[in-house]
Amino acid sequence: MTTPPPHGQPYGPAPTYPAGPAGYPAGQPAAHSAGQPQAYAQPGQAPVAGYPAGYPAGQPQTYAQPGHAPAPGYPAGQPHPYAHPGHGPMPGYPAHPAPTQCRGCGSPAAVNFAVRAHQGLLIMMRFQKLDGPFCRSCGRSVVRQMTTRTLCLGWWSPISLVAFTPFTLLWNLVAHLKFSKLPPSTPAPGRRPMDEGAPVLRRPLAYVALIPLAWAVWVVTGVITHAG
């Protein structure tokens, strides 16, 4: 019976590779056979594709799983903000999101909120919406124009009178409060903010709303009187 070798001694000479995997000299024992795992290769295989040549054995690669190259153009040793390991930035996503700018004058302090207007035409209705972002001056100017238009033309159908026009006015009130909280507008070079104009209650067209409102009050009063 063969006597086993002493503890800690190999059972035989370490195998050699005649040509050796990439990075191992011919005729030298492979690193894994002496109890040291090879970082990127199994016995008889070249290093896994995607790992840079000369990378220290036993050290993990920062950006790549086996078979993936590092994220292009990103410094070694720091995590990539928009990618999983082995992948570059997501297509179409900027490295640094652009700041919000007013669509009217280019002011950097702006709020992305829409302004609405409504028009009731007996059996027809028209809805209008102007999307932001707007700065303080441009936003307040648009709110005053759209609200005045709604007060003048938004009451001339039954559904508009009781539903859509009140909703539009409340929406624009919220928009006005949002724009009023912004700092004064600082337009981009060569551009000017919109003129805010007079407040809504100082515009004569806003009082056209008194006509349908008076008619609605008269109808409701007549119904209550006949019911009583």
Side-chain angles (χ1 to χ4, degrees):
M1 182 175 64
T2 305
T3 303
H7 180 71
Q9 297 294 326
Y11 280 83
T16 61
Y17 295 106
Y24 284 91
Q28 296 296 325
H32 71 278
S33 63
Q36 299 179 4
Q38 186 181 0
Y40 306 124
Q42 297 296 328
Q45 296 181 353
V48 179
Y51 284 98
Y55 202 85
Q59 298 293 329
Q61 191 179 8
T62 306
Y63 298 116
Q65 298 294 333
H68 293 275
Y74 203 78
Q78 298 187 16
H80 199 285
Y82 303 123
H84 293 291
H87 298 275
M90 291 185 289
Y93 198 83
H96 299 286
T100 303
Q101 295 181 350
C102 174
R103 61 177 294 182
C105 68
S107 176
V111 172
N112 191 7
F113 197 80
V115 184
R116 299 177 181 270
H118 177 73
Q119 182 178 0
L121 302 171
L122 295 180
I123 60 174
M124 298 178 60
M125 292 177 290
R126 179 184 297 174
F127 299 88
Q128 296 176 311
K129 184 179 74 168
L130 189 59
D131 293 318
F134 294 110
C135 64
R136 176 186 175 95
S137 296
C138 295
R140 285 157 59 109
S141 175
V142 173
V143 166
R144 290 176 178 181
Q145 294 178 30
M146 303 283 266
T147 301
T148 303
R149 185 181 307 169
T150 302
L151 287 172
C152 181
L153 303 174
W155 308 98
W156 307 105
S157 72
I159 299 179
S160 298
L161 179 65
V162 300
F164 293 118
T165 295
F167 167 78
T168 302
L169 296 176
L170 289 175
W171 181 280
N172 287 352
L173 176 61
V174 174
H176 174 77
L177 295 176
K178 286 181 176 290
F179 297 137
S180 297
K181 292 179 180 179
L182 293 172
S185 302
T186 54
R191 303 175 66 177
R192 297 177 58 185
M194 298 181 187
D195 183 15
E196 296 185 23
V200 173
L201 297 180
R202 295 183 184 177
R203 303 187 181 201
L205 289 178
Y207 291 96
V208 176
L210 294 177
I211 300 175
L213 289 177
W215 175 79
V217 171
W218 177 75
V219 170
V220 172
T221 303
V223 172
I224 294 176
T225 301
H226 288 293

